[in-house]
Amino acid sequence: MKRLVLYVGGLFFLTLGVSLSIQAGLGVSPVSSLAYALVLTSGLSIGITTILANILFILVQIILNKRIDIKDFILQLIISVVFGFFMDATLFLVQLLPPPESIVLRCVYLVISLFVVSAGLIGYFTAKLPLMPYDALTYVISERFKLKFSKAKITGDLLNVFVAAVLGLVFIQSFGSIGIGTLVAAYFIGKILGWMILHYQKPLQQWVYQVEKLNV
């Protein structure tokens, strides 16, 4: 139950951070760039486009693996729907805040989003429950092309940003979801997450697994 609470809480904070970056209007993180590009080009909600983007990531996994695991497919689809619901909910909440009309306030929103996303990621990863389709795809790319996980992550991020940029240029004649905030997020989220793991992951692990250790 503690793992589930940590997992769902992590996903919620992850979507909250993404919503804050959207509100900042300086470009979203690579992982959400495709979903937000679909928002700008289709008019659909961020929740719906997040689900659609994740379905695409699942299909790419199937193509690269040359097989389909029905149980894994359904599980990732369920997680995608929950994540999409959280995206719509958190964006609604964030839009209740004062709009960042100045560049200073927009930068403040962006910086806060980096820490909130990182907090969500540490909870999500520490819970050690099923991965989101985007993260699962990174592992598939790593195994399929014999790449280190870090290189596979960079490859996946670059492809996601590239497709998002192409969609923006073709349909709205701008980069849309891609901006300076995308580059800032790509660099600093990993740094902030590393700092949080160093200081907070051990206490989280002790909280989550203490009952199991006592039972052993």
Side-chain angles (χ1 to χ4, degrees):
M1 182 58 70
K2 287 183 178 180
R3 291 171 68 191
L4 184 60
V5 169
L6 193 60
Y7 183 77
V8 174
L11 292 181
F12 179 82
F13 273 92
L14 182 54
T15 58
L16 179 60
V18 172
S19 294
L20 284 167
S21 71
I22 290 174
Q23 191 74 342
L26 295 173
V28 298
S29 63
V31 65
S32 303
S33 57
L34 178 57
Y36 193 54
L38 290 172
V39 170
L40 297 175
T41 57
S42 69
L44 297 172
S45 77
I46 185 64
I48 296 298
T49 59
T50 295
I51 294 171
L52 293 175
N54 279 311
I55 290 175
L56 176 61
F57 299 147
I58 294 171
L59 293 176
V60 175
Q61 289 179 58
I62 293 171
I63 292 170
L64 292 177
N65 280 328
K66 298 179 180 179
R67 62 181 177 82
I68 180 171
D69 185 326
I70 299 299
K71 181 180 177 180
D72 189 50
F73 178 86
I74 293 174
L75 190 58
Q76 288 194 43
L77 189 59
I78 292 172
I79 296 169
S80 299
V81 172
V82 172
F83 194 78
F85 171 77
F86 280 169
M87 278 303 316
D88 275 340
T90 55
L91 187 58
F92 172 78
L93 292 174
V94 166
Q95 288 174 340
L96 296 177
L97 298 172
E101 296 177 351
S102 68
I103 186 64
V104 173
L105 193 54
R106 291 169 72 183
C107 289
V108 170
Y109 272 54
L110 176 62
V111 171
I112 293 174
S113 77
L114 301 178
F115 283 90
V116 176
V117 165
S118 299
L121 286 173
I122 192 173
Y124 160 62
F125 285 125
T126 302
K128 296 182 179 179
L129 289 175
L131 295 172
M132 288 282 294
Y134 188 80
D135 297 314
L137 177 58
T138 302
Y139 277 101
V140 171
I141 292 173
S142 176
E143 293 176 1
R144 180 69 175 80
F145 298 102
K146 310 299 181 184
L147 297 173
K148 290 182 179 180
F149 182 81
S150 58
K151 289 185 178 180
K153 172 68 173 171
I154 293 171
T155 300
D157 285 350
L158 288 175
L159 287 173
N160 210 30
V161 169
F162 175 75
V163 173
V166 169
L167 282 175
L169 289 172
V170 170
F171 291 100
I172 59 175
Q173 289 74 54
S174 78
F175 286 115
S177 62
I178 311 302
I180 186 63
T182 306
L183 299 177
V184 170
Y187 180 78
F188 282 102
I189 285 177
K191 299 288 185 181
I192 297 171
L193 180 59
W195 175 80
M196 286 188 172
I197 288 174
L198 182 64
H199 290 86
Y200 301 111
Q201 188 169 54
K202 189 173 181 180
L204 280 175
Q205 289 173 333
Q206 291 174 341
W207 176 74
V208 171
Y209 299 109
Q210 63 180 355
V211 174
E212 296 176 20
K213 289 180 180 178
L214 289 173
N215 289 338
V216 172

Short mmCIF file of all heavy atoms in Angstrom, two decimals, residues 149-186:
data_model
loop_
_atom_site.label_atom_id
_atom_site.label_comp_id
_atom_site.label_asym_id
_atom_site.label_seq_id
_atom_site.Cartn_x
_atom_site.Cartn_y
_atom_site.Cartn_z
N PHE A 149 21.80 2.91 -20.87
CA PHE A 149 20.48 3.50 -20.58
C PHE A 149 20.52 5.02 -20.76
O PHE A 149 19.57 5.60 -21.30
CB PHE A 149 20.04 3.16 -19.16
CG PHE A 149 18.68 3.69 -18.81
CD1 PHE A 149 17.54 3.03 -19.22
CD2 PHE A 149 18.55 4.87 -18.09
CE1 PHE A 149 16.28 3.53 -18.92
CE2 PHE A 149 17.30 5.38 -17.78
CZ PHE A 149 16.16 4.70 -18.19
N SER A 150 21.60 5.67 -20.31
CA SER A 150 21.69 7.13 -20.41
C SER A 150 21.65 7.58 -21.87
O SER A 150 20.99 8.57 -22.21
CB SER A 150 22.97 7.63 -19.74
OG SER A 150 24.11 7.04 -20.33
N LYS A 151 22.35 6.85 -22.75
CA LYS A 151 22.34 7.19 -24.17
C LYS A 151 20.98 6.91 -24.81
O LYS A 151 20.52 7.67 -25.67
CB LYS A 151 23.44 6.42 -24.91
CG LYS A 151 24.85 6.88 -24.57
CD LYS A 151 25.89 6.16 -25.42
CE LYS A 151 27.30 6.67 -25.12
NZ LYS A 151 28.32 5.99 -25.94
N ALA A 152 20.35 5.83 -24.37
CA ALA A 152 19.01 5.51 -24.87
C ALA A 152 18.02 6.60 -24.45
O ALA A 152 17.12 6.97 -25.22
CB ALA A 152 18.56 4.15 -24.35
N LYS A 153 18.18 7.11 -23.23
CA LYS A 153 17.32 8.18 -22.72
C LYS A 153 17.49 9.44 -23.56
O LYS A 153 16.50 10.08 -23.96
CB LYS A 153 17.68 8.46 -21.26
CG LYS A 153 17.01 9.68 -20.64
CD LYS A 153 15.53 9.48 -20.48
CE LYS A 153 14.92 10.64 -19.69
NZ LYS A 153 13.44 10.57 -19.70
N ILE A 154 18.72 9.80 -23.84
CA ILE A 154 19.00 10.99 -24.66
C ILE A 154 18.42 10.81 -26.06
O ILE A 154 17.81 11.73 -26.62
CB ILE A 154 20.51 11.26 -24.73
CG1 ILE A 154 21.05 11.67 -23.36
CG2 ILE A 154 20.83 12.34 -25.76
CD1 ILE A 154 22.56 11.74 -23.28
N THR A 155 18.59 9.61 -26.62
CA THR A 155 18.07 9.32 -27.95
C THR A 155 16.55 9.46 -27.99
O THR A 155 15.99 10.09 -28.90
CB THR A 155 18.46 7.90 -28.39
OG1 THR A 155 19.88 7.78 -28.40
CG2 THR A 155 17.91 7.58 -29.78
N GLY A 156 15.89 8.88 -27.00
CA GLY A 156 14.43 8.96 -26.93
C GLY A 156 13.95 10.39 -26.78
O GLY A 156 12.99 10.82 -27.44
N ASP A 157 14.63 11.16 -25.92
CA ASP A 157 14.25 12.57 -25.71
C ASP A 157 14.41 13.38 -26.99
O ASP A 157 13.54 14.18 -27.35
CB ASP A 157 15.12 13.19 -24.61
CG ASP A 157 14.72 12.73 -23.21
OD1 ASP A 157 13.65 12.09 -23.08
OD2 ASP A 157 15.48 12.99 -22.26
N LEU A 158 15.53 13.17 -27.69
CA LEU A 158 15.79 13.91 -28.91
C LEU A 158 14.75 13.59 -29.99
O LEU A 158 14.27 14.49 -30.69
CB LEU A 158 17.20 13.61 -29.44
CG LEU A 158 18.36 14.21 -28.63
CD1 LEU A 158 19.69 13.72 -29.19
CD2 LEU A 158 18.30 15.74 -28.66
N LEU A 159 14.40 12.32 -30.11
CA LEU A 159 13.39 11.92 -31.10
C LEU A 159 12.03 12.52 -30.77
O LEU A 159 11.31 13.00 -31.65
CB LEU A 159 13.29 10.39 -31.16
CG LEU A 159 14.44 9.67 -31.84
CD1 LEU A 159 14.30 8.15 -31.67
CD2 LEU A 159 14.51 10.02 -33.32
N ASN A 160 11.69 12.52 -29.48
CA ASN A 160 10.42 13.08 -29.03
C ASN A 160 10.35 14.57 -29.33
O ASN A 160 9.34 15.08 -29.85
CB ASN A 160 10.26 12.84 -27.53
CG ASN A 160 8.80 12.70 -27.12
OD1 ASN A 160 7.96 12.26 -27.87
ND2 ASN A 160 8.50 13.09 -25.89
N VAL A 161 11.42 15.28 -29.01
CA VAL A 161 11.49 16.72 -29.27
C VAL A 161 11.46 17.01 -30.77
O VAL A 161 10.78 17.95 -31.22
CB VAL A 161 12.76 17.33 -28.64
CG1 VAL A 161 12.98 18.75 -29.13
CG2 VAL A 161 12.66 17.30 -27.11
N PHE A 162 12.16 16.19 -31.55
CA PHE A 162 12.19 16.38 -33.00
C PHE A 162 10.80 16.23 -33.61
O PHE A 162 10.37 17.07 -34.41
CB PHE A 162 13.15 15.36 -33.64
CG PHE A 162 13.18 15.40 -35.14
CD1 PHE A 162 13.83 16.42 -35.81
CD2 PHE A 162 12.52 14.42 -35.89
CE1 PHE A 162 13.84 16.47 -37.20
CE2 PHE A 162 12.52 14.46 -37.27
CZ PHE A 162 13.18 15.48 -37.94
N VAL A 163 10.08 15.16 -33.23
CA VAL A 163 8.73 14.93 -33.76
C VAL A 163 7.80 16.07 -33.33
O VAL A 163 6.99 16.56 -34.13
CB VAL A 163 8.17 13.58 -33.28
CG1 VAL A 163 6.71 13.43 -33.70
CG2 VAL A 163 9.00 12.44 -33.84
N ALA A 164 7.93 16.52 -32.07
CA ALA A 164 7.10 17.62 -31.59
C ALA A 164 7.39 18.90 -32.37
O ALA A 164 6.47 19.64 -32.73
CB ALA A 164 7.36 17.84 -30.10
N ALA A 165 8.66 19.16 -32.65
CA ALA A 165 9.04 20.36 -33.40
C ALA A 165 8.50 20.31 -34.83
O ALA A 165 8.01 21.31 -35.35
CB ALA A 165 10.56 20.49 -33.42
N VAL A 166 8.58 19.14 -35.46
CA VAL A 166 8.06 18.98 -36.82
C VAL A 166 6.56 19.23 -36.85
O VAL A 166 6.05 19.93 -37.75
CB VAL A 166 8.39 17.57 -37.37
CG1 VAL A 166 7.63 17.31 -38.67
CG2 VAL A 166 9.89 17.43 -37.59
N LEU A 167 5.83 18.66 -35.88
CA LEU A 167 4.37 18.88 -35.81
C LEU A 167 4.06 20.37 -35.69
O LEU A 167 3.16 20.88 -36.37
CB LEU A 167 3.79 18.13 -34.61
CG LEU A 167 3.58 16.62 -34.76
CD1 LEU A 167 3.11 16.02 -33.43
CD2 LEU A 167 2.56 16.32 -35.85
N GLY A 168 4.80 21.06 -34.84
CA GLY A 168 4.58 22.48 -34.66
C GLY A 168 4.85 23.28 -35.92
O GLY A 168 4.06 24.15 -36.30
N LEU A 169 5.96 22.98 -36.58
CA LEU A 169 6.32 23.71 -37.80
C LEU A 169 5.33 23.47 -38.93
O LEU A 169 4.99 24.38 -39.69
CB LEU A 169 7.73 23.31 -38.24
CG LEU A 169 8.88 23.80 -37.36
CD1 LEU A 169 10.20 23.18 -37.81
CD2 LEU A 169 8.97 25.33 -37.41
N VAL A 170 4.84 22.23 -39.04
CA VAL A 170 3.92 21.88 -40.13
C VAL A 170 2.54 22.48 -39.92
O VAL A 170 1.94 23.05 -40.84
CB VAL A 170 3.81 20.34 -40.28
CG1 VAL A 170 2.67 19.97 -41.24
CG2 VAL A 170 5.13 19.77 -40.77
N PHE A 171 2.02 22.42 -38.68
CA PHE A 171 0.63 22.79 -38.45
C PHE A 171 0.42 24.21 -37.91
O PHE A 171 -0.62 24.82 -38.18
CB PHE A 171 -0.04 21.79 -37.50
CG PHE A 171 -0.24 20.43 -38.12
CD1 PHE A 171 0.64 19.39 -37.85
CD2 PHE A 171 -1.29 20.20 -39.00
CE1 PHE A 171 0.47 18.14 -38.42
CE2 PHE A 171 -1.47 18.95 -39.57
CZ PHE A 171 -0.59 17.92 -39.30
N ILE A 172 1.37 24.73 -37.14
CA ILE A 172 1.18 26.09 -36.61
C ILE A 172 2.35 27.02 -36.90
O ILE A 172 2.43 28.12 -36.38
CB ILE A 172 0.91 26.05 -35.08
CG1 ILE A 172 2.08 25.39 -34.33
CG2 ILE A 172 -0.40 25.35 -34.76
CD1 ILE A 172 1.93 25.43 -32.82
N GLN A 173 3.28 26.55 -37.74
CA GLN A 173 4.42 27.34 -38.20
C GLN A 173 5.25 27.92 -37.04
O GLN A 173 5.73 29.06 -37.11
CB GLN A 173 3.96 28.48 -39.11
CG GLN A 173 3.47 28.02 -40.47
CD GLN A 173 2.09 27.38 -40.40
OE1 GLN A 173 1.15 27.97 -39.88
NE2 GLN A 173 1.97 26.15 -40.90
N SER A 174 5.39 27.14 -35.99
CA SER A 174 6.27 27.52 -34.88
C SER A 174 6.70 26.25 -34.15
O SER A 174 6.14 25.18 -34.38
CB SER A 174 5.56 28.47 -33.90
OG SER A 174 4.68 27.76 -33.06
N PHE A 175 7.68 26.38 -33.28
CA PHE A 175 8.14 25.21 -32.53
C PHE A 175 7.17 24.83 -31.42
O PHE A 175 7.29 23.76 -30.83
CB PHE A 175 9.53 25.47 -31.93
CG PHE A 175 10.63 25.44 -32.96
CD1 PHE A 175 11.36 26.57 -33.25
CD2 PHE A 175 10.93 24.26 -33.63
CE1 PHE A 175 12.38 26.55 -34.19
CE2 PHE A 175 11.93 24.22 -34.59
CZ PHE A 175 12.67 25.35 -34.86
N GLY A 176 6.22 25.70 -31.11
CA GLY A 176 5.14 25.37 -30.19
C GLY A 176 5.61 24.96 -28.80
O GLY A 176 5.95 25.80 -27.97
N SER A 177 5.65 23.66 -28.56
CA SER A 177 5.97 23.14 -27.22
C SER A 177 7.45 23.19 -26.91
O SER A 177 7.86 22.96 -25.77
CB SER A 177 5.49 21.69 -27.10
OG SER A 177 6.16 20.85 -28.04
N ILE A 178 8.28 23.51 -27.91
CA ILE A 178 9.74 23.51 -27.73
C ILE A 178 10.22 24.93 -27.48
O ILE A 178 9.87 25.86 -28.21
CB ILE A 178 10.46 22.94 -28.97
CG1 ILE A 178 9.82 21.61 -29.39
CG2 ILE A 178 11.94 22.76 -28.68
CD1 ILE A 178 9.83 20.54 -28.34
N GLY A 179 11.02 25.12 -26.44
CA GLY A 179 11.55 26.43 -26.13
C GLY A 179 12.74 26.32 -25.20
O GLY A 179 13.25 25.23 -24.94
N ILE A 180 13.15 27.44 -24.65
CA ILE A 180 14.29 27.44 -23.74
C ILE A 180 14.01 26.59 -22.51
O ILE A 180 14.91 25.96 -21.94
CB ILE A 180 14.64 28.90 -23.33
CG1 ILE A 180 15.93 28.94 -22.49
CG2 ILE A 180 13.49 29.53 -22.57
CD1 ILE A 180 17.16 28.48 -23.22
N GLY A 181 12.74 26.53 -22.12
CA GLY A 181 12.35 25.70 -20.98
C GLY A 181 12.59 24.22 -21.23
O GLY A 181 12.87 23.46 -20.29
N THR A 182 12.49 23.80 -22.49
CA THR A 182 12.75 22.41 -22.85
C THR A 182 14.21 22.06 -22.59
O THR A 182 14.53 21.00 -22.03
CB THR A 182 12.41 22.16 -24.34
OG1 THR A 182 11.07 22.59 -24.60
CG2 THR A 182 12.55 20.68 -24.69
N LEU A 183 15.11 22.95 -23.01
CA LEU A 183 16.54 22.73 -22.81
C LEU A 183 16.90 22.78 -21.32
O LEU A 183 17.69 21.97 -20.84
CB LEU A 183 17.34 23.80 -23.57
CG LEU A 183 17.15 23.83 -25.09
CD1 LEU A 183 17.95 24.98 -25.69
CD2 LEU A 183 17.58 22.51 -25.71
N VAL A 184 16.30 23.73 -20.61
CA VAL A 184 16.55 23.85 -19.17
C VAL A 184 16.10 22.59 -18.44
O VAL A 184 16.81 22.06 -17.59
CB VAL A 184 15.82 25.09 -18.60
CG1 VAL A 184 15.87 25.10 -17.07
CG2 VAL A 184 16.44 26.37 -19.14
N ALA A 185 14.90 22.09 -18.79
CA ALA A 185 14.38 20.89 -18.16
C ALA A 185 15.24 19.68 -18.48
O ALA A 185 15.53 18.85 -17.60
CB ALA A 185 12.93 20.65 -18.61
N ALA A 186 15.66 19.56 -19.74
CA ALA A 186 16.47 18.41 -20.16
C ALA A 186 17.78 18.33 -19.37
O ALA A 186 18.25 17.24 -19.04
CB ALA A 186 16.77 18.51 -21.65
#
